[in-house]
Amino acid sequence: MSGLGHLIRKITTDDYEAVAALVASAFERQDEANLVRKLWAQHATKFERVTEISGVIVGYCAFSPVTSKPDLDGLLLGLGPLAVAPEHQNQGIGTKLVRTGLKTCEDNNARLIAVLGDPNYYARFGFEPASKRKMSWAGFDAGDAFRVISHDDVGVEADDIRTIHYHPAFDIVS
């Protein structure tokens, strides 16, 4: 997918160092870059996309498997990290990456997609507070920052709160 000089494509191993540097720059710390490296080392990403402009990677978005207790069948994913180079933020690059990634998730019959992030930003993509689906994030009470998209009635009629667990690599991010 391309537009306005942006090319969105699948990541390759040749991109790893540029992506790690981009993620560290976007978050202004190494924690998220270390997370991405750990996900790669453990082959724990399902879908990854990068945006490049004139051959330079300026955006990155990953989706990795998540689990739930009680268990849910099907493909369950967590979005993150999403990173855009500081000099390219607020230009729609992140939005295009998320939309492309969500389309990939839908095309692969993902049953649930979770995200921890700015509620106002992620609401535009259809993410709703996980609490509406009787779900919580295993890490802590994130309030409306923990959001989900579900393509069925997952959790709506649950008797108990369903706990969503990200890959253990996410435990390094503080």
Side-chain angles (χ1 to χ4, degrees), residues 69-70 133-135 155 157-163:
K69 295 292 179 202
R133 296 280 181 158
K134 297 184 180 175
M135 295 181 192
E157 296 181 17
D159 291 331
D160 296 320
I161 300 293
R162 186 176 306 280
T163 304

Side-chain angles (χ1 to χ4, degrees), residues 145-161:
F146 184 58
R147 304 180 77 80
V148 296
I149 291 176
S150 176
H151 297 292
D152 57 26
D153 287 335
V154 170
V156 173
E157 296 181 17
D159 291 331
D160 296 320
I161 300 293

